[in-house]
């Protein structure tokens, strides 16, 4: 099954973008080639840009505290595993503490690194980081992979509390809903929200259907059109019934 997620507010949209960037960061940082570590650095710059919202850290801390209070209310509930509950509380408390320990503006230490900011500035120009543009960066890329990885770790590590905090919030968000089987007749599906509150939608469907959902939603209605995947250049509606799972997620 393929999952598609659609955020219904700007905060969740930002968290999903950051989750995707942190995933790419982890993937490319494990590589050994200079190109892997070049992409790692560019991805870190993207994280710096997206995470630059002044209230992101505050939002995460507040949401984690709200979830902590909810979990505390489950204590002494015979249907809840005390061991699992204690583990979840510990994870939330650790993530909150790490976020609160982040001093100043997110990524300020990166902005104060003139060498990194020079690379970031040149990287916005197509082909702008060639060896004749940034010879010192070219030298760094030719260093031993372990040495580059050590530098990357030093630059990335202070940003990891953001990753840990948003991972908990998104995991709880995804677990909050109950999937329901739906049918899109003729490739289209519409649902009136009728006061239903949600922060994110999740759609799951079989790859064998060879369709891609186009989702639009507001507080009044949800609309999904399933487009044939083989016509990505010139999208065309799949004029047949499509079964899929729909989940409304909300913290």
């Amino acid at each position: 099954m393929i999952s598609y997620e659609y955020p219904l507010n700007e905060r969740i949209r930002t968290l999903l973008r950051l989750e995707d960037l942190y995933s790419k960061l982890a993937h490319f940082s494990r590589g050994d080639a200079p190109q892997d570590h070049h992409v790692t650095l560019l991805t870190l710059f993207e994280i710096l840009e997206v995470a630059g919202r002044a209230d992101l850290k505050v939002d995460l801390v507040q949401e984690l505290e709200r979830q902590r209070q909810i979990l505390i209310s489950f204590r002494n509930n015979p249907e809840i595993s005390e061991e699992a509950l204690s583990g979840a509380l510990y994870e939330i408390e650790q993530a909150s503490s790490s976020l609160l320990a982040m001093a100043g503006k997110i990524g300020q230490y990166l902005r104060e690194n003139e060498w990194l900011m020079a690379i970031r500035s040149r990287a916005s120009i197509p082909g702008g980081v060639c060896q004749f543009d940034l010879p010192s960066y070219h030298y760094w890329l030719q260093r031993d992979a372990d040495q580059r990885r050590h530098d990357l770790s030093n630059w990335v590590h202070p940003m990891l509390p953001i990753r840990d905090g948003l991972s908990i919030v998104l995991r709880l968000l995804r677990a909050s809903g109950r999937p329901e089987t739906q049918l899109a007749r003729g490739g289209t599906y519409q649902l009136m929200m009728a006061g239903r509150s949600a922060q994110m939608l999740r759609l799951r469907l079989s790859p064998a259907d060879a369709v891609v959902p186009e989702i639009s939603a507001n507080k009044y209605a949800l609309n999904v059109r399933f487009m044939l995947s083989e016509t990505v250049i010139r999208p065309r509606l799949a004029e047949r019934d499509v079964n899929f799972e729909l989940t409304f997620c909300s913290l």
Side-chain angles (χ1 to χ4, degrees):
M1 299 289 279
I2 301 179
S3 294
Y4 296 88
E5 296 178 334
Y6 187 83
L8 295 174
N9 60 50
E10 189 59 33
R11 185 180 66 149
I12 302 303
R13 187 173 291 111
T14 297
L15 296 186
L16 289 173
R17 283 178 174 148
L18 284 170
E19 180 187 52
D20 181 66
L21 288 171
Y22 274 110
S23 176
K24 290 183 173 68
L25 189 77
H27 172 80
F28 287 107
S29 64
R30 288 192 293 266
D32 290 330
Q35 292 84 355
D36 290 323
H37 293 167
H38 173 66
V39 175
T40 301
L41 205 52
L42 296 187
T43 305
L44 179 60
F45 294 152
E46 289 188 63
I47 290 173
L48 181 64
E49 186 72 27
V50 177
R53 288 180 49 215
D55 56 349
L56 174 63
K57 184 172 70 174
V58 174
D59 280 352
L60 286 173
V61 170
Q62 289 178 344
E63 186 57 49
L64 289 172
E65 176 59 23
R66 195 170 73 85
Q67 295 302 318
R68 189 179 77 88
Q69 293 298 329
I70 292 173
L71 292 178
I72 287 175
S73 69
F74 292 142
R75 275 185 169 156
N76 302 319
N77 186 326
E79 298 182 3
I80 303 295
S81 166
E82 284 293 325
E83 183 179 356
L85 184 59
S86 296
L89 285 168
Y90 177 78
E91 185 181 15
I92 288 175
E93 289 162 2
Q94 288 293 106
S96 294
S97 297
S98 296
L99 284 166
L100 291 170
M102 295 178 70
K105 188 176 181 181
I106 293 174
Q108 186 59 35
Y109 69 99
L110 294 173
R111 296 183 180 90
E112 292 172 353
N113 187 316
E114 294 182 7
W115 185 74
L116 287 176
M117 290 303 98
I119 297 169
R120 182 189 185 191
S121 176
R122 294 295 308 179
S124 64
I125 303 170
V129 291
C130 283
Q131 56 177 304
F132 58 83
D133 289 306
L134 293 171
S136 65
Y137 182 49
H138 177 66
Y139 171 79
W140 181 80
L141 288 173
Q142 303 313 307
R143 298 182 74 193
D144 181 77
D146 288 335
Q147 291 177 315
R148 293 196 308 268
R149 197 175 290 107
H150 178 266
D151 290 338
L152 288 169
S153 178
N154 288 336
W155 297 327
V156 169
H157 189 266
M159 299 286 281
L160 294 184
I162 298 293
R163 179 204 63 184
D164 297 340
L166 69 88
S167 294
I168 294 172
V169 172
L170 289 177
R171 186 168 71 242
L172 292 171
L173 178 63
R174 289 174 175 128
S176 67
R178 180 175 298 177
E180 298 178 0
T181 301
Q182 305 290 348
L183 177 65
R185 297 190 180 280
T188 62
Y189 176 84
Q190 184 178 63
L191 177 69
M192 303 308 294
M193 298 298 278
R196 188 196 298 258
S197 177
Q199 293 171 294
M200 184 176 74
L201 303 174
R202 298 193 78 203
L203 274 71
R204 296 180 74 238
L205 59 154
S206 171
D209 285 325
V211 293
V212 178
E214 288 188 353
I215 305 168
S216 63
N218 55 40
K219 62 182 179 180
Y220 302 110
L222 162 67
N223 291 281
V224 184
R225 301 170 71 234
F226 289 95
M227 314 302 289
L228 294 173
S229 61
E230 64 267 21
T231 59
V232 290
I233 296 176
R234 187 171 296 174
R236 184 161 58 87
L237 182 68
E239 297 178 348
R240 53 182 169 81
D241 293 352
V242 178
N243 286 292
F244 66 100
E245 282 184 2
L246 174 64
T247 306
F248 288 88
C249 303
S250 185
L251 292 171

